[in-house]
Amino acid sequence: MMNPLFAIFLACAVCLSSSAAEEKRLVVGKISAELIFASATPGDVGEALSEPRAKLLATQEAFKGLSFRHLGRDQQQLYRSYVNWLAPLGASKQILIEFDTLGVGKDEVRLTLKLWQNDKVILKTDIELKPGKPLIIQGPAWKGGRVLVVIDLLELKE
């Protein structure tokens, strides 16, 4: 006869290993969001932007001649079956980004994106992201410039 405590331990171990395996199947990649302040005059808002990111933005027609400053960044695992959230300003709820995964292909992921500002959805759209091809969204006007939201698919799992 099996010891009841051992049976409970064995059942818990099986549950834990299956939930870890299940989580691996649910994770489809890693995603990040960066908030950037773009303005005609360099300011002291935020921090200096990384050179590769600044070069990427400077090559875009809509942003020529602008200065860029880093405001915040967040990255999370991207789940297939759950609502995903990014909070690039940390604990602040001023800007939040919500994602629902619509589908995963060989080299892209399709998502419904919602951009939240102060508890209101200001943008809802379906997007397709590929690693190495960031999506740049012109966000709200702020302090004489504009907030840009750059969404990157950092990793896509098969």
Side-chain angles (χ1 to χ4, degrees), residues 40-56:
T41 57
D44 57 357
V45 174
E47 303 169 359
L49 191 61
S50 69
E51 190 172 327
R53 182 67 84 198
K55 283 184 179 180
L56 169 74

Side-chain angles (χ1 to χ4, degrees), residues 6-56:
F6 180 72
I8 292 171
F9 170 77
L10 186 60
C12 289
V14 168
C15 289
L16 288 175
S17 67
S18 66
S19 68
E22 181 68 19
E23 183 175 323
K24 281 187 176 181
R25 283 195 297 273
L26 294 176
V27 173
V28 297
K30 189 177 282 189
I31 194 165
S32 77
E34 182 175 15
L35 292 184
I36 297 168
F37 178 63
S39 68
T41 57
D44 57 357
V45 174
E47 303 169 359
L49 191 61
S50 69
E51 190 172 327
R53 182 67 84 198
K55 283 184 179 180
L56 169 74

Side-chain angles (χ1 to χ4, degrees), residues 39-98:
S39 68
T41 57
D44 57 357
V45 174
E47 303 169 359
L49 191 61
S50 69
E51 190 172 327
R53 182 67 84 198
K55 283 184 179 180
L56 169 74
L57 293 171
T59 63
Q60 306 295 315
E61 187 64 35
F63 310 126
K64 289 207 187 245
L66 296 180
S67 297
F68 306 102
R69 303 287 291 173
H70 171 83
L71 297 175
R73 185 172 191 269
D74 189 18
Q75 71 180 38
Q76 300 287 332
Q77 289 185 329
L78 181 62
Y79 291 91
R80 180 184 314 273
S81 301
Y82 298 107
V83 174
N84 301 273
W85 288 92
L86 290 171
L89 293 177
S92 171
K93 292 185 178 180
Q94 286 184 325
I95 299 281
L96 296 171
I97 300 131
E98 175 186 350

